[in-house]
């Protein structure tokens, strides 16, 4: 069964802390997406990657294909980073997104 | 460039009724995919349309259907609504489908009473 597991499910941190959210998947993928969902429901695509590392501002996403694992890092976290972060993968031969259950991040000022 | 739009944003229906939701993709995008989000099941893929053809479908009953028009706008229809269909329905557009960045709309929140 193709599954996507995220950890932790919930994370509370102080403003300024370095944040790491993890995503593991079960078989080979063609791409992995990191998404951000704020209260109210809108989803924003943060990264799409199939290898290596990408950086955008304070956000960094990495993927290890051999380990079937990806991480999303947030440096110098800020209360506006509070949201649910969702990992989604595209498995080879299965053109659709399979989603993790999400990580609820709360940054306290 | 205007983003993905979905109408209506909120909808309340009664069990047994049917509902049609609309999604207008970013101009130039040919792929539209639909998702259901519930507290219990999370986000689940419904189907994807590309150039008016359904390319892939998730594990949902036949009551869930969709279509795409020549201008890439897409609609999804749910017939014989059940209480469990209450959810946030999201669509996403991309230039050529999966393997490319997905741009999500704000969603339609459907409540079935």
């Amino acid at each position: 069964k193709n599954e996507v597991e995220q950890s932790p499910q919930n994370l509370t941190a102080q403003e300024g802390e370095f944040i790491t959210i993890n995503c593991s998947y079960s078989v080979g993928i063609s791409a992995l997406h990191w998404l951000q969902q704020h209260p109210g429901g809108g989803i924003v695509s943060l990264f799409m990657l199939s290898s290596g590392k990408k950086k955008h501002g304070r956000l960094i996403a990495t993927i290890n294909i051999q380990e079937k694992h990806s991480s999303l890092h947030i440096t110098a976290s800020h209360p506006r980073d509070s949201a649910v972060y969702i990992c989604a993968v595209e498995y080879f031969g299965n053109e659709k997104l399979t989603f993790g259950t999400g990580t609820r991040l709360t940054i306290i000022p | 460039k205007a983003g993905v739009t979905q109408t209506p944003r909120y909808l309340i229906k009664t069990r047994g009724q049917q509902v049609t939701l609309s999604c207008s993709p970013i101009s130039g995008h040919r792929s539209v995919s639909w998702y259901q989000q519930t507290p219990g099941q999370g986000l689940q893929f419904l189907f994807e349309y590309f150039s008016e053809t359904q390319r892939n479908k998730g594990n949902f009953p036949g009551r869930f259907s969709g279509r795409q028009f020549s201008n890439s706008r897409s609609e999804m229809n749910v017939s014989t609504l059940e209480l469990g269909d209450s959810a946030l329905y999201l669509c996403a557009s991309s230039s050529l489908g999966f393997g490319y960045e997905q741009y999500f709309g704000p969603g339609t929140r459907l409540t079935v009473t």
Side-chain angles (χ1 to χ4, degrees), chain A residues 33 35 37 40-43 45 48 86 90 94-97 99, chain B residues 35 37 43-45 55-56 88 90 98-102 104 106:
Chain A
H33 301 252
L35 310 171
Q37 185 172 33
I43 290 178
S45 175
M48 187 186 79
I86 302 167
E90 298 178 32
N94 193 357
E95 291 200 348
K96 66 175 188 177
L97 290 182
F99 298 89
Chain B
Y35 305 89
Q37 186 177 35
L43 272 161
Q44 294 182 282
F45 170 79
R55 292 204 294 195
N56 203 354
L88 180 67
L90 293 149
F98 295 108
Y100 294 83
E101 188 167 359
Q102 304 291 309
F104 285 81

Side-chain angles (χ1 to χ4, degrees), chain A residues 38-59:
Chain A
H38 280 283
I43 290 178
V44 174
S45 175
L46 298 175
F47 296 102
M48 187 186 79
L49 63 167
S50 55
S51 65
K53 176 179 174 178
K54 287 190 176 182
K55 184 175 188 292
H56 185 258
R58 296 179 295 105
L59 273 59

Side-chain angles (χ1 to χ4, degrees), chain B residues 19-107:
Chain B
V19 66
T20 299
L21 311 181
S22 180
C23 174
S24 293
I26 291 171
S27 177
H29 284 189
R30 293 165 66 188
S31 166
V32 174
S33 51
W34 287 90
Y35 305 89
Q36 181 196 64
Q37 186 177 35
T38 60
Q41 298 296 318
L43 272 161
Q44 294 182 282
F45 170 79
L46 279 158
F47 28 66
E48 187 230 359
Y49 285 87
F50 181 85
S51 293
E52 302 179 65
T53 300
Q54 186 182 91
R55 292 204 294 195
N56 203 354
K57 191 177 190 311
N59 295 324
F60 280 82
R63 301 185 297 107
F64 291 81
S65 62
R67 58 178 176 169
Q68 187 180 34
F69 301 94
S70 58
N71 62 357
S72 292
R73 189 178 70 85
S74 177
E75 290 181 347
M76 68 162 281
N77 183 77
V78 188
S79 62
T80 319
L81 284 166
E82 301 176 0
L83 294 179
D85 298 332
S86 294
L88 180 67
Y89 290 89
L90 293 149
C91 73
S93 79
S94 76
S95 55
L96 294 173
F98 295 108
Y100 294 83
E101 188 167 359
Q102 304 291 309
Y103 296 83
F104 285 81

